[in-house]
């Protein structure tokens, strides 16, 4: 179990967007959640409606456990917020045009949108099987080109961007808070930018950390007309344009894998705040990486465990339990004992049957920075004590008994 983080209880919520609202009494709360930008656990006290944005997939390969861990984390957050009486609106985008999907489509000789449609359908199938709460919306980057062009135009008009060599770049020197979310120095940011397609050596850039908003397409890439010449959006701007369009200027909680903190989220926040003049995100929440064979599970390394493969052998509820037995801020290693352990746990819970045993302890664990291992331990404890069924507590972590 994690050390309990104490903070003053919030008895009434005056939300910055003007909604005066009170969570349902006698259910505990508020949730304490670690905020990446503030680097501490803080009370998460949104208004009745909670706007959430999680960076979605680039659909060019099957869903692996690293993806599943990220979306399961935000699923459990939403379940606890809904338990407190909130309405959650979680947008998850689909990055259906970027360097990686275009590269894969070229490699296997299919149209990139056919590849995207096929892999998005497989992803959706895994999400439904894992009983994820449905997204509020799942907008596609290619469906937001007009929004993106408008956004680039505003960034230029406001002096935060410049044109060079047929592309448009964000000028980080115009944005004093660049680096505030990650807390990284320039020396730490540069190699990460290079690793994640930021091309710090691009001769068109004034500063190596400037990032592309609109880029020229190569002859075999998709291209849309714009004032700055035909091209396609940069990666980061897709999420800013979609988040602003779907949820408004300020989002309560923005999430994704911890590998997105820099450059992706730092760049998203910089361009969004530069253009709107408003805070972009109130709370940043990041999922640690899942590892296998000592390395981060990733497509480039090929050390992947696919949800679709696990589904052939195990109950999807056990897959969920296997993943959330790990805390979202701890990187963890996938190994062969995880699934048998989770399957046995599920059997014990099912045998305990319906009831509200362990519910208060489960809520308290989730309020402690989404301590899912603590929540599972609380449910196990209720089962072992034989004090009743645990279906309500199990439902809070998304397991239907
Ligand atoms: Zn994103």
């Amino acid at each position: 179990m994690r050390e309990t983080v104490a903070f003053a209880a919030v008895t009434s919520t005056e939300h910055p967007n003007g909604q005066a609202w009170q969570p349902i009494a006698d259910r505990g709360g508020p949730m304490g959640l670690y905020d990446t930008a503030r680097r501490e656990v803080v009370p998460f006290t949104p208004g009745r409606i909670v706007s959430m944005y999680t960076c979605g997939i680039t659909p060019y390969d099957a869903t692996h456990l690293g993806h599943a861990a990220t979306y399961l984390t935000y699923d459990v957050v939403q379940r606890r917020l809904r338990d407190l009486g909130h309405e959650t609106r979680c947008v998850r985008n689909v990055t259906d045009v970027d360097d990686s999907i275009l590269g894969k489509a070229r490699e296997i000789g299919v149209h990139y949108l056919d590849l995207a449609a096929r892999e998005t359908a497989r992803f959706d199938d895994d999400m439904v099987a894992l009983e994820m709460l449905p997204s509020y919306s799942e907008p596609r980057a290619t469906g937001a080109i007009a929004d993106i062009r408008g956004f680039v135009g505003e960034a230029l008009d406001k002096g935060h961007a410049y044109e060079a060599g047929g592309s448009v770049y964000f000028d980080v020197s115009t944005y004093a808070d660049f680096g505030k979310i990650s807390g990284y120095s320039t020396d730490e940011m540069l190699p990460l930018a290079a690793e994640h397609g930021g091309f710090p050596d691009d001769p068109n850039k004034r500063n190596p950390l400037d990032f592309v908003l609109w880029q020229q397409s190569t002859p075999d890439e998709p291209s849309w007309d714009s004032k700055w010449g035909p091209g396609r959006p940069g990666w980061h701007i897709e999420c800013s344009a979609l988040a602003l369009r779907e949820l408004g200027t300020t989002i309560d909680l923005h999430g994704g894998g911890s590998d997105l903190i820099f450059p992706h989220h730092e760049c998203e926040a910089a361009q969004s705040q530069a253009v709107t003049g408003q805070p972009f995100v109130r709370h940043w929440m990041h999922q640690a990486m899942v590892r296998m064979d000592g390395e981060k599970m990733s497509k480039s390394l090929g050390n992947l465990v696919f949800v679709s493969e696990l589904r052939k052998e195990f109950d999807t509820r056990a897959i969920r339990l296997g993943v959330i037995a790990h805390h979202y801020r701890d990187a963890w290693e996938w190994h062969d004992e995880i699934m048998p352990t989770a399957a046995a746990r599920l059997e014990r819970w099912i045998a305990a049957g319906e009831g509200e045993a362990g519910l208060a302890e489960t809520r308290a664990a989730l309020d402690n920075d989404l301590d899912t291992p603590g929540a599972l331990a609380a449910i196990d404890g209720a089962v072992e004590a034989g004090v009743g069924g645990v279906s309500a507590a199990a439902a809070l972590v998304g397991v239907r008994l």
Side-chain angles (χ1 to χ4, degrees):
M1 278 224 205
R2 300 184 80 81
E3 192 183 331
T4 303
V5 179
F7 45 74
V10 176
T11 49
S12 77
T13 304
E14 185 63 51
H15 189 255
N17 69 10
Q19 306 165 26
W21 184 78
Q22 199 78 28
I24 296 174
D26 307 325
R27 290 194 184 175
M31 295 191 83
L33 291 175
Y34 184 85
D35 178 11
T36 308
R38 280 176 279 184
R39 297 177 237 301
E40 61 178 339
V41 176
V42 294
F44 182 61
T45 55
R48 188 183 73 78
I49 295 171
V50 187
S51 57
M52 296 172 61
Y53 187 95
T54 61
C55 288
I57 54 160
T58 301
Y60 68 99
D61 209 343
T63 318
H64 62 71
L65 274 181
H67 297 135
T70 297
Y71 303 122
L72 281 168
T73 288
Y74 302 115
D75 181 82
V76 177
V77 168
Q78 288 190 79
R79 288 177 190 274
R80 175 59 178 139
L81 291 170
R82 290 181 181 197
D83 178 50
L84 286 166
H86 293 278
E87 176 183 334
T88 62
R89 295 181 177 178
C90 188
V91 172
R92 189 180 65 219
N93 67 300
V94 180
T95 303
D96 59 357
V97 56
D98 82 346
D99 290 342
S100 49
I101 193 166
L102 295 174
K104 178 73 182 275
R106 196 180 285 131
E107 180 192 319
I108 61 175
V110 300
H111 192 279
Y112 75 103
L113 287 179
D114 289 336
L115 174 62
R118 185 180 81 199
E119 295 302 335
T120 303
R122 289 172 70 189
F123 174 76
D124 289 346
D125 194 47
D126 284 338
M127 295 297 104
V128 169
L130 289 170
E131 300 189 60
M132 301 280 194
L133 293 168
S135 302
Y136 179 62
S137 66
E138 293 173 3
R140 267 80 174 142
T142 53
I145 300 296
D147 304 277
I148 290 166
R149 280 187 301 226
F151 196 108
V152 176
E154 277 199 65
L156 281 163
D157 289 347
K158 292 183 174 167
H160 290 291
Y162 58 91
E163 285 182 72
S167 294
V168 181
Y169 298 88
F170 186 85
D171 181 350
V172 295
S173 73
T174 67
Y175 184 73
D177 286 343
F178 196 74
K180 286 278 170 68
I181 297 168
S182 62
Y184 297 154
S185 66
T186 301
D187 286 348
E188 288 170 300
M189 288 192 255
L190 279 170
L192 285 168
E195 188 185 327
H196 294 280
F199 302 106
D201 299 330
D202 179 346
N204 291 323
K205 288 184 180 182
R206 295 177 187 168
N207 178 317
L209 287 174
D210 290 350
F211 53 92
V212 72
L213 301 177
W214 187 262
Q215 59 196 324
Q216 267 190 322
S217 301
T218 58
D220 64 341
E221 288 177 348
S223 163
W224 290 265
D225 286 335
S226 82
K227 280 194 236 173
W228 321 288
R232 60 186 176 92
W235 168 31
H236 315 304
I237 201 166
E238 297 181 0
C239 281
S240 285
L242 290 170
L244 294 174
R245 186 184 79 188
E246 301 288 315
L247 295 168
T249 53
T250 304
I251 304 163
D252 289 315
L253 188 145
H254 193 323
S258 59
D259 54 346
L260 296 179
I261 297 171
F262 188 88
H264 187 50
H265 289 160
E266 199 77 70
C267 296
E268 261 188 56
Q271 65 201 2
S272 300
Q273 296 186 176
V275 163
T276 69
Q278 300 292 320
F280 177 49
V281 167
R282 294 195 175 94
H283 192 112
W284 289 96
M285 185 178 179
H286 290 100
Q287 167 74 37
M289 296 292 105
V290 181
R291 297 167 164 270
M292 194 161 97
D293 306 328
E295 299 266 17
K296 169 189 149 185
M297 214 178 258
S298 72
K299 285 173 187 166
S300 50
L301 292 172
N303 54 342
L304 304 174
V305 176
F306 293 108
V307 174
S308 51
E309 288 300 313
L310 286 178
R311 282 170 59 193
K312 291 176 186 164
E313 204 179 336
F314 296 100
D315 188 312
T316 51
R317 296 172 294 180
I319 301 174
R320 174 183 279 261
L321 284 177
V323 172
I324 67 172
H326 306 87
H327 190 261
Y328 78 95
R329 281 205 288 132
D330 297 334
W332 53 279
E333 175 90 11
W334 180 260
H335 59 79
D336 290 343
E337 285 309 303
I338 288 175
M339 283 313 304
T341 302
R345 174 177 256 155
L346 177 64
E347 288 307 314
R348 292 196 301 273
W349 290 12
I350 290 170
E354 288 193 18
E356 296 194 355
L359 183 56
E361 295 82 358
T362 302
R363 283 174 169 147
L366 296 180
D367 289 350
N368 182 28
D369 193 23
L370 202 74
D371 181 7
T372 52
L376 303 197
I379 300 173
D380 286 343
V383 170
E384 280 160 28
V387 288
V390 292
S391 58
L396 207 50
V397 295
V399 174
R400 182 182 36 83
L401 297 182

